[in-house]
């Protein structure tokens, strides 16, 4: 029975698969280019669809080539005519040859050991492996120490935000605890492997259980983890819930799109206004492109300032609101220990309080050209890896002065007044 | 089913076979093939990560659609880097570590270790493999289509995976991915139902749940996890197919892409997909890991010549892990904008799961303590697994803590964590299983020396590739980055990435030693007797199990699976099928001619303990 049924099921499955594939294609074709009449040509150069394997922009390409020239390697590879299928035959031939050589060598070795079998003893593999385990333990621990030494200054640089300091604290506590357990258990494992390797006259002991030990090593991790959980939970609640309920804050919006960021500042009224994704890239009165889909019928929106740089005021609570134009992105601010997804259709937020201005931080870490960076940390498409903006932290008075000097995205007669920035 | 052999055609014997041992081999060989594909893909993108902008022109003939011509070099295209990452993850997680590992050893060991003639439904079993096979073929085909395979990461988060305009891989490539996964899930469900019903109903006389080998316990719980969680992924995938092909909007809302707003598709939530995905995704981690832990338990007990320490604690911790694995999925979503209070709850249950894992580790260490460790190839990989399980498990305590996860989420710290604890651990479990049960599959033993070379190269290169990624992650370097050139905090690790890439290439190369060993040992390997490792479980009672496994009656089980080095017993092992009366009569179970059922050879074994293998 099986002989008949199985091929039938297979063909059914294949049929289903082709049907879906065809349906997918035809749907995609009809759906391809419904030109939105309201949409103007998008002027955003970073918006170019990069999905036709287009070469990289020339300046980027130049930068890469000069920076990481691998000329010798490139030349070596060039000399092989890769178009030629002969190349692949050669590769396969070489692999086959290697396998044959390996096989013959194995046979020869086996033959030799058989001929001289009576005189030469097989090496003691138990001893060899035991020693290897012990050696591995020391090399492993040494390599970790070495790695920490050479990259010390880059690992977890000082936190630039207030909540980040408590996150760092629990991170270091966890680090110390797990580090201790790590060293002890790895050492025990490899030392046991070395010490109790098979030997003449050694017998294993019969020791199937010990309930007291089990209880001991259930309760100790349980107690330690409970402490970690309680501590971590408090920091988590402080970071997310308490900060989010802060009474006084400055709002800034991070707007993510393929592949870049725009930042919206509330302008004189201190409020971020309404948005509507259907208005994305439409033309605003005055000729500017509505790159972040402002709904200018809302007066709170009308005075909003849209910029390509993220400027944060120092020493106050900043509420970073997040939106996305197209796919998932994540705002990742490693120096501020802050991260939140930008979800199309679902606004998200993260509150933080910067502790130092960029200048202050530079002198703290002794790097005059240092900059805080904002990265995208959720896979979003071809240029995900280059979705970057620099972050500038300034004194609060400089921030407010800067904001009142900036023009809103949409300029009309009624919002030309420059009110003082009000605190919410 | 009759125990008597009957003549079969080539097709019914080797292709559409209903024999669990043949199906296990089919799973294993397909799994190894997929493993090499997945490994190759990772080597491919590690070349780019180590040497940014490297000329990959030599791959142009086969992987031309992944390369872009920059004028004087063929470099990997940035979106195709994401395609490689996606396919590497999908293939290794599902096709190698779920089907290849669980499929192989559940099929091989469940009937043999519980004393059954075959699975409860051999036909369903065969169907399960062939669904898996078709699924693999579709997945491999998707690598070669013009727009490239699925590119939204193995988690295929919409909207990226739903919009072909966002990334070309979300076109036909993603459709193929979804079709392949739907078939895969069907295959996995058929397999799992079979495993559960076989273990529940077909255990031989005397084999109570308290005497089950830990392998069977882990396969049983794995199958239950799979049955409960895979359907959720299927529904998630079906809704995604609807969103992609039929204009629904389960996951889509407020999207403007490629010059147009998707006004017809609005009101859905991308976060819904993440909930559905991780409801499978987290148990999936244990679906992968638990069989490896089960295999390790057996291999360690056998080769340390000691009973596994705390059998009951081991079973209870497996049960605990299984139950908890269903309520921790939110720890993948701490920073997606989920309600922070809910995040806190997920954090608490996540850290509880560390307790059973710790118990397992300590029990492994206690099993090795004062043992008489035989370094067979399987044992080396089992010890390697314990080491990796410790390293990767401990970093889970960082990531499970919601506060610490804020800076570490989606960084290389995560990559290091799951590659060590789930990827490499499970692969090591699989290797341990292959070396250990190769004699039951092919009647021969794999070459020991090549096995040593394979182990040490793999073990060292795994640590060299993945351990440094912790440091990169602590500095905040995000995963899935095509190059580290754009960010100051990532740039400093470029040298370290070269080192990792070299280690990865060596590690991949070492797998060819295994492949060579695997293939040639089938023909040239040393002939294995009935019980080459002097082990206790039922599969070692019969040499070359044929159709129906045992030629005559099925042996009865009298004791637990780990009676090694028992005081008062001459030999350092005491198989499950030997009763106390047999022992008193002095049945020589060490003798090759020993019959597990009739036990007529009653020559008393000598007092000296024979060396294993």
């Amino acid at each position: 029975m099986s002989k008949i049924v199985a091929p039938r099921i297979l063909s059914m499955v294949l049929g289903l698969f082709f049907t879906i594939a065809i349906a997918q294609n035809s749907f995609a074709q009809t759906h391809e280019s419904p030109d939105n009449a309201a949409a103007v040509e998008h002027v955003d150069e970073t918006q170019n669809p990069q999905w036709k394997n287009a070469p990289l922009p020339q300046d980027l390409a130049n930068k890469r080539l000069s920076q990481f020239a691998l000329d010798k390697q490139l030349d070596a590879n060039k000399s092989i005519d890769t178009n030629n299928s002969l190349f692949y035959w050669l590769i396969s031939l070489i692999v086959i040859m290697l396998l044959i050589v390996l096989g013959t060598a194995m046979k020869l070795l086996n033959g030799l050991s058989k001929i001289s079998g009576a005189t030469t003893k097989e090496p003691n593999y138990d001893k060899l492996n035991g020693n290897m385990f012990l050696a591995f333990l020391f090399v492993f621990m040494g390599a970790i120490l070495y790695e920490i030494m050479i990259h010390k200054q880059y690992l977890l640089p000082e936190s630039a935000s207030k909540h980040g300091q408590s996150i760092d604290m629990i991170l270091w506590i966890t680090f110390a605890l797990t580090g201790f357990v790590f060293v002890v258990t790895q050492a025990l494992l490899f030392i046991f492997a070395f010490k109790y390797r098979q030997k003449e006259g050694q017998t294993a002991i019969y020791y199937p259980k010990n309930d007291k030990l089990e209880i001991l090593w259930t309760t100790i991790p349980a107690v330690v983890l409970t402490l970690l959980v309680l501590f971590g939970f408090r920091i988590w609640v402080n970071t997310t819930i308490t900060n989010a309920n802060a009474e006084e804050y400055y709002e800034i919006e991070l707007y993510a799109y393929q592949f870049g960021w725009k930042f919206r500042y509330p302008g004189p009224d201190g409020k971020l206004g309404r948005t509507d994704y259907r208005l994305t890239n439409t033309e605003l009165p005055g000729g500017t492109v509505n790159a972040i889909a402002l709904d200018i019928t809302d007066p709170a929106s009308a005075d909003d300032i849209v910029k390509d740089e993220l400027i944060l005021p120092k020493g106050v609570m900043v509420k970073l609101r997040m939106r996305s134009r197209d796919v998932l992105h994540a705002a990742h601010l490693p120096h501020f220990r802050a991260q939140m997804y930008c979800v199309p259709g679902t606004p998200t937020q993260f509150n933080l309080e910067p502790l130092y201005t960029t200048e202050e931080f530079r002198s703290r870490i002794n790097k005059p050209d240092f900059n805080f960076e904002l990265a995208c940390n959720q896979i979003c498409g071809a240029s995900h890896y280059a979705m970057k903006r620099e972050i500038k932290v300034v004194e609060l008075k400089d921030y407010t002065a800067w904001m009142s000097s900036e023009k809103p995205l949409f300029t009309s007669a009624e919002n030309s007044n420059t009110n003082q920035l009000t605190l919410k | 089913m009759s125990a008597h052999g009957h003549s079969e055609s080539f097709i019914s014997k080797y292709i559409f076979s209903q024999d669990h041992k043949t199906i296990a081999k089919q799973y294993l060989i397909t799994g190894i093939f997929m493993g090499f594909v997945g490994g190759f893909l990772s080597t491919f993108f590690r070349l780019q990560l180590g040497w940014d902008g490297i000329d990959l022109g030599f791959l142009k003939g086969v992987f031309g659609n992944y390369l872009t011509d920059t004028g004087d070099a063929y470099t990997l295209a940035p979106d195709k880097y994401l395609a490689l990452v996606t396919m590497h993850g999908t293939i290794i997680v599902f096709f190698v570590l779920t089907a290849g590992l669980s499929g192989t050893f559940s099929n091989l060991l469940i009937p043999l270790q519980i004393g059954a003639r075959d699975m409860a439904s051999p036909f369903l079993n065969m169907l399960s493999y062939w669904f898996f096979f078709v699924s693999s073929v579709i997945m491999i085909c998707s690598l070669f289509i013009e727009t490239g395979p699925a590119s939204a990461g193995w988690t295929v988060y919409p909207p990226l995976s739903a919009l072909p305009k966002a990334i070309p891989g979300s076109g036909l490539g993603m459709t193929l991915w979804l079709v392949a996964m739907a078939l895969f899930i069907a295959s996995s469900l058929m397999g799992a139902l079979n495993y559960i019903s076989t273990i529940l109903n077909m255990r031989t006389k005397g084999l109570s749940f308290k005497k089950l080998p830990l392998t069977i316990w882990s396969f049983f719980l794995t199958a239950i996890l799979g049955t409960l969680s895979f359907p959720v992924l299927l529904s998630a995938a079906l809704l995604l197919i609807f969103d992609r092909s039929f204009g629904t909007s389960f996951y889509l809302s407020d999207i403007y892409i490629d010059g147009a707003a998707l006004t017809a598709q609005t009101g859905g939530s991308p976060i819904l997909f993440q909930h559905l995905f991780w409801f499978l995704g987290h148990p999936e981690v244990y679906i992968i890991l638990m069989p490896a832990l089960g295999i390790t338990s057996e291999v360690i007990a056998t080769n340390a010549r000691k009973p596994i320490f705390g059998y009951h604690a081991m079973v209870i911790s497996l049960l605990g892990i299984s139950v908890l694995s269903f309520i921790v999925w939110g720890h993948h979503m701490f920073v997606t904008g989920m309600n922070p209070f809910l995040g806190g709850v997920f954090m608490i249950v996540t850290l509880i799961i560390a307790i059973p894992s710790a118990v397992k580790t300590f029990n492994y260490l206690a099993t090795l303590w004062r043992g008489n460790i035989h370094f067979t190839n399987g044992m080396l990989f089992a010890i390697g697994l314990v080491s990796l399980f410790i390293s990767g498990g401990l970093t889970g305590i960082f990531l499970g803590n919601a506060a610490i996860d804020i800076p570490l989420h989606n960084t290389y710290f995560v990559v290091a964590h799951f590659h060590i604890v789930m990827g490499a651990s499970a692969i090591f479990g699989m290797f341990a299983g292959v070396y250990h049960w190769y004699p039951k599959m092919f009647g021969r033993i794999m070459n020991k020396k090549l096995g040593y070379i394979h182990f040490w190269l793999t073990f060292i290169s795994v640590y060299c590739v993945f351990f440094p990624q912790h440091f990169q992650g602590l500095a905040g370097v995000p995963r899935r980055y095509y190059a580290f050139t754009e960010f100051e905090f990532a740039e400093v690790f470029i040298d370290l990435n070269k080192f990792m890439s070299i280690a990865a290439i060596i590690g991949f190369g070492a797998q060819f030693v295994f492949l060579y060993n695997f293939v040639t040992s089938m023909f040239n390997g040393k002939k294995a007797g009935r019980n080459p490792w002097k082990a206790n479980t039922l599969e070692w009672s019969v040499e070359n199990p044929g159709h129906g496994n045992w030629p005559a009656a099925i042996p009865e089980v009298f004791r637990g699976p780990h009676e090694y080095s028992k005081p008062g017993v001459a030999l350092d092992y005491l198989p499950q099928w030997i009763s106390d009366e047999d022992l008193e009569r002095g049945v020589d179970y060490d003798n090759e001619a020993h019959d597990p059922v009739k036990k007529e050879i009653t020559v008393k074994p000598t007092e000296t303990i024979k060396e294993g293998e």
Side-chain angles (χ1 to χ4, degrees):
Chain A
M1 184 194 77
S2 67
K3 270 187 249 170
I4 310 160
V5 175
R8 265 191 207 164
I9 290 171
L10 282 184
S11 58
M12 266 165 58
V13 164
L14 283 173
L16 183 76
F17 145 61
F18 281 120
T19 320
I20 294 181
I22 291 163
Q24 162 74 29
N25 269 358
S26 53
F27 187 83
Q29 270 164 15
T30 55
H31 214 259
E32 202 109 276
S33 52
D35 262 349
N36 193 335
V40 291
E41 286 280 317
H42 43 105
V43 288
D44 194 351
E45 72 287 350
T46 45
Q47 245 279 65
N48 277 335
Q50 297 218 350
W51 50 280
K52 273 290 172 193
N53 290 354
L56 292 163
Q58 200 48 47
D59 56 333
L60 192 58
N62 284 341
K63 185 184 152 207
R64 296 159 144 297
L65 281 178
S66 60
Q67 231 173 334
F68 309 103
L70 289 160
D71 296 335
K72 280 174 197 163
Q73 215 155 345
L74 297 179
D75 288 344
N77 284 335
K78 280 281 142 45
S79 61
I80 303 168
D81 181 10
T82 50
N83 269 330
N84 201 335
S85 64
L86 193 67
F87 174 72
Y88 287 97
W89 285 109
L90 271 176
I91 291 273
S92 335
L93 206 67
I94 290 169
V95 170
I96 292 166
M97 292 280 279
L98 276 177
L99 285 177
I100 293 171
V101 168
L102 190 61
T104 325
M106 290 295 300
K107 255 188 195 159
L108 263 174
L109 279 176
N110 283 345
L112 277 178
S113 61
K114 259 176 211 157
I115 294 164
S116 53
T119 50
T120 52
K121 257 175 72 183
E122 205 184 33
N124 186 341
Y125 286 117
D126 290 305
K127 200 173 167 189
L128 183 73
N129 282 306
N131 291 340
M132 285 285 280
F133 274 124
L134 199 62
F136 182 83
L137 173 67
F138 290 114
V139 175
F140 186 26
M141 296 298 159
I144 293 171
L145 284 180
Y146 174 73
E147 167 60 33
I148 291 176
M149 302 275 279
I150 55 168
H151 279 130
K152 194 169 52 190
Q153 69 270 37
Y154 308 117
L155 305 178
L156 209 69
E158 189 181 355
S159 167
S161 69
K162 202 172 172 191
H163 75 270
Q165 290 180 327
S166 40
I167 289 182
D168 284 3
M169 184 169 61
I170 185 153
L171 200 150
W172 287 121
I173 293 173
T174 313
F175 199 76
L177 283 172
T178 53
F180 172 74
V181 177
F182 174 77
V183 173
V184 170
T185 46
Q186 296 280 8
L188 285 179
L189 175 69
F190 292 125
I191 289 172
F192 286 171
F194 167 76
K195 197 171 169 200
Y196 301 113
R197 64 183 191 271
Q198 185 182 14
K199 277 180 267 197
E200 288 279 331
Q202 174 181 277
T203 45
I205 60 160
Y206 183 77
Y207 191 46
K209 67 173 190 171
N210 181 336
D211 288 344
K212 274 182 195 159
L213 266 181
E214 297 286 357
I215 290 168
L216 183 77
W217 60 48
T218 310
T219 36
I220 291 178
V223 170
V224 173
L225 284 167
T226 310
L227 292 175
L228 277 180
V229 162
L230 289 177
F231 198 29
F233 189 76
R234 239 187 69 191
I235 293 170
W236 168 251
V237 167
N238 279 340
T239 309
T240 53
I241 300 175
T242 316
N243 278 359
N245 294 337
E247 299 265 306
E248 297 190 341
Y249 54 81
Y250 289 82
E251 275 183 310
I252 300 173
E253 188 184 65
L254 274 60
Y255 178 77
Y257 58 90
Q258 282 182 326
F259 298 96
W261 302 89
K262 294 221 178 271
F263 307 100
R264 179 156 67 118
Y265 302 89
D269 65 349
K271 264 193 229 163
L272 291 170
R274 225 173 26 229
T275 57
D276 186 337
Y277 77 104
R278 286 168 296 190
L279 301 171
T280 316
N281 280 352
T282 51
E283 197 172 340
L284 288 168
T288 42
V289 171
N290 193 354
I292 71 162
L294 282 185
D295 180 1
I296 51 162
T297 56
D298 181 7
S301 283
D303 67 342
D304 288 357
I305 300 162
V306 178
K307 286 280 147 196
D308 274 338
E309 59 181 341
L310 180 54
I311 298 178
L312 301 176
K314 175 196 150 186
V316 291
M317 185 61 76
V318 182
K319 186 190 277 280
L320 297 176
R321 293 188 176 280
M322 289 157 205
R323 265 192 317 136
S324 166
R325 177 192 285 175
D326 32 43
V327 297
L328 285 176
H329 301 273
H332 177 46
L333 299 83
H335 307 98
F336 297 92
R337 313 287 187 269
Q339 179 159 205
M340 184 53 66
Y341 281 22
C342 310
V343 186
T346 310
T348 54
Q349 63 172 55
F350 197 100
N351 285 25
L352 59 87
E353 184 184 327
L355 285 176
Y356 314 106
T357 63
T358 304
E359 291 300 328
E360 284 168 356
F361 202 75
R362 282 175 180 166
S363 60
R364 283 186 82 85
I365 61 168
N366 233 341
K367 265 191 229 159
D369 53 351
F370 171 86
N371 274 312
F372 295 120
E373 288 168 322
L374 165 70
C376 176
N377 199 9
Q378 177 59 49
I379 183 169
C380 65
S383 292
H384 169 53
Y385 72 102
M387 204 171 136
K388 162 186 166 170
R389 289 286 185 271
E390 274 169 12
I391 304 168
K392 207 154 101 189
V393 185
V394 296
E395 297 287 352
L396 180 60
K397 60 177 168 40
D398 297 336
Y399 177 75
T400 42
W402 169 78
M403 180 128 46
S404 40
S405 70
E406 285 295 330
K407 282 210 179 82
L409 182 70
F410 161 66
T411 38
S412 68
E414 66 237 76
N415 62 25
S416 56
N417 56 338
T418 49
N419 295 340
Q420 262 301 303
L421 181 73
T422 47
L423 190 64
K424 269 186 110 171
Chain B
M1 182 176 285
S2 150
H4 306 291
H6 50 83
S7 63
E8 286 176 294
S9 70
F10 176 81
I11 287 185
S12 69
K13 194 170 175 194
Y14 292 108
I15 300 183
F16 294 109
S17 168
Q18 299 189 17
D19 179 19
H20 71 100
K21 298 178 292 295
T22 309
I23 294 172
K25 288 180 212 170
Q26 289 174 326
Y27 264 112
L28 180 60
I29 289 165
T30 318
I32 289 175
F33 175 75
M34 293 304 271
F36 272 86
V37 174
F40 168 75
L41 296 180
S42 69
T43 318
F44 192 172
F45 66 69
R46 275 266 33 131
L47 283 172
Q48 160 62 27
L49 289 179
W51 300 274
D52 180 28
I54 190 176
D55 186 3
L56 296 166
F58 63 94
L59 288 167
K60 203 170 139 247
V62 183
F63 289 96
N65 58 338
Y66 289 74
L67 306 176
T68 168
D69 187 356
T70 58
D72 48 5
Y74 288 98
T75 58
L76 181 61
D79 67 310
K80 293 302 184 294
Y81 166 77
L82 298 177
L84 289 176
V85 173
T86 304
M87 294 305 282
H88 164 74
T90 307
I91 287 177
I92 299 285
V93 168
F94 293 111
F95 291 81
V96 181
L97 295 179
T98 305
L101 173 62
S102 227
T104 304
F105 291 104
S106 297
N107 270 309
L108 179 73
L109 295 180
I110 289 176
L112 279 173
Q113 287 194 335
I114 68 170
R117 298 242 179 252
D118 206 312
M119 283 287 177
S121 169
F123 178 74
L124 206 60
N125 209 17
M126 173 198 71
L127 211 56
S128 158
Y129 171 74
W130 285 102
F131 266 70
F132 167 58
F133 181 80
V134 174
S135 162
S136 309
V137 170
I138 295 174
M139 202 52 104
I140 295 280
C141 286
S142 81
L143 285 171
F144 299 105
I145 61 176
E146 196 199 343
T147 48
S151 313
W154 79 280
T155 53
V156 294
Y157 282 179
L160 186 62
S161 61
L163 306 170
K165 284 168 184 164
I167 193 164
S170 291
L172 181 60
M174 190 62 209
T175 304
L176 293 178
W177 192 96
L178 286 165
V179 171
M181 283 313 295
L183 292 173
F184 181 88
I185 293 165
S187 148
S188 161
L189 287 174
M190 285 187 272
L193 288 173
N194 225 342
Y195 307 150
I196 296 171
S197 44
T198 311
I199 294 171
L200 284 178
N201 298 319
M202 296 170 72
R203 279 164 292 128
T204 185
K205 193 177 170 193
L207 188 59
S208 65
F209 267 85
K210 281 184 178 174
K211 291 182 188 142
L212 274 191
L214 285 170
T215 35
I216 302 299
W217 265 111
S218 66
F219 298 147
F220 180 58
L221 294 171
T222 302
I224 292 175
L225 290 191
T227 322
L228 295 178
S229 62
F230 264 118
V232 180
L233 181 66
L234 184 62
S235 60
L238 286 177
L239 298 187
L240 187 54
I241 291 176
F242 281 18
D243 270 11
R244 291 165 46 78
S245 301
F246 308 118
T248 58
S249 50
F250 292 103
Y251 307 131
L252 305 178
S253 185
D254 291 22
I255 289 167
Y256 173 93
I257 192 148
D258 198 32
L262 299 185
T263 44
Q265 286 179 304
T266 192
S269 166
I271 305 295
L272 169 65
F273 180 85
Q274 298 179 17
H275 278 294
L276 293 175
F277 182 87
W278 287 113
F279 188 81
L280 157 92
H282 201 79
E284 170 68 19
V285 171
Y286 293 100
I287 290 173
I288 287 173
L289 193 57
M290 288 209 303
L293 292 176
I295 288 169
T296 307
S297 305
E298 285 307 309
V299 172
I300 284 188
T302 307
N303 289 297
R305 313 309 290 166
K306 272 186 73 183
I308 196 88
F309 186 81
Y311 174 84
H312 286 112
M314 291 299 246
V315 173
I316 291 167
S317 44
L318 279 178
L319 279 167
I321 289 174
S322 309
V323 173
L324 286 171
S325 72
F326 277 107
I327 49 172
V328 298
W329 80 89
H331 67 222
H332 297 271
M333 301 167 59
F334 284 140
V335 296
T336 54
M338 188 169 68
N339 184 330
F341 183 74
L342 196 59
V345 176
F346 275 121
M347 158 185 169
I348 293 168
V349 280
T350 299
L351 291 189
I352 293 176
I353 219 167
I355 299 169
S357 312
V359 170
K360 288 195 85 73
T361 309
F362 292 132
N363 283 344
Y364 284 136
L365 291 178
T367 309
L368 290 173
W369 178 70
R370 294 189 65 186
N372 188 27
I373 301 171
H374 295 204
F375 287 122
T376 61
N377 295 146
M379 184 61 170
L380 290 179
F381 277 99
I383 293 175
L385 180 144
V386 177
S387 169
L388 292 165
F389 187 61
I390 295 170
S391 306
L394 287 171
T395 50
I397 295 174
F398 291 76
L399 296 168
N401 194 326
I404 305 178
D405 190 59
I406 294 172
L408 292 184
H409 179 84
N410 262 358
T411 63
Y412 263 87
F413 198 88
V414 178
V415 178
H417 164 70
F418 74 75
H419 272 96
I420 290 179
V421 81
M422 176 180 97
S425 281
I427 288 271
F428 271 50
M430 189 166 166
F431 281 135
V434 171
Y435 281 108
H436 193 76
W437 279 288
Y438 194 88
K440 266 314 129 199
M441 284 190 261
F442 301 102
R444 291 171 189 269
I445 296 175
M446 286 175 77
N447 186 302
K448 194 165 71 172
K449 287 173 226 168
L450 287 179
Y452 292 149
I453 296 173
H454 174 221
F455 169 74
W456 283 106
L457 283 177
T458 311
F459 190 49
I460 292 168
S461 59
V462 159
Y463 266 126
C464 286
V465 177
F466 299 118
F467 210 85
Q469 294 182 349
H470 292 118
F471 302 107
Q472 239 184 320
L474 277 176
V477 180
R479 68 194 280 207
R480 291 166 175 160
Y481 265 28
Y482 166 74
F484 304 110
T485 50
E486 306 303 314
F487 290 88
E488 202 182 298
F489 65 87
E491 230 170 17
V492 292
F493 292 102
I494 283 176
D495 283 341
L496 195 63
N497 269 288
K498 287 197 180 92
F499 172 76
M500 290 187 242
S501 290
I502 293 168
I505 292 165
I506 294 173
F508 182 57
Q511 305 320 307
F512 286 93
V513 177
F514 167 76
L515 186 65
Y516 174 84
N517 195 355
F518 184 84
V519 175
T520 53
S521 296
M522 275 183 217
F523 310 104
N524 302 329
K526 199 173 107 189
K527 278 243 164 61
R530 186 171 46 80
N531 191 353
W533 318 120
K534 317 274 179 213
N536 284 349
T537 38
L538 273 185
E539 77 272 26
W540 305 106
S541 65
V542 57
E543 185 173 356
N544 293 334
H547 187 62
N549 295 341
W550 282 269
I554 293 177
E556 194 183 335
V557 165
F558 299 97
R559 54 186 76 250
H562 303 123
E563 309 262 295
Y564 292 104
S565 304
K566 198 173 186 185
V569 179
L571 296 165
D572 65 352
Y573 70 114
L574 182 54
Q576 287 188 286
W577 62 90
I578 301 294
S579 67
D580 287 344
E581 295 86 70
D582 295 333
L583 206 57
E584 265 170 44
R585 281 195 296 134
V587 168
D588 183 11
Y589 52 84
D590 207 34
N591 192 319
E592 271 301 315
H594 161 71
D595 184 314
V597 181
K598 290 182 195 149
K599 299 165 185 161
E600 74 275 13
I601 296 176
T602 53
V603 187
K604 189 103 180 152
T606 50
E607 284 300 311
T608 50
I609 289 161
K610 292 191 178 177
E611 298 288 323
E613 203 251 312

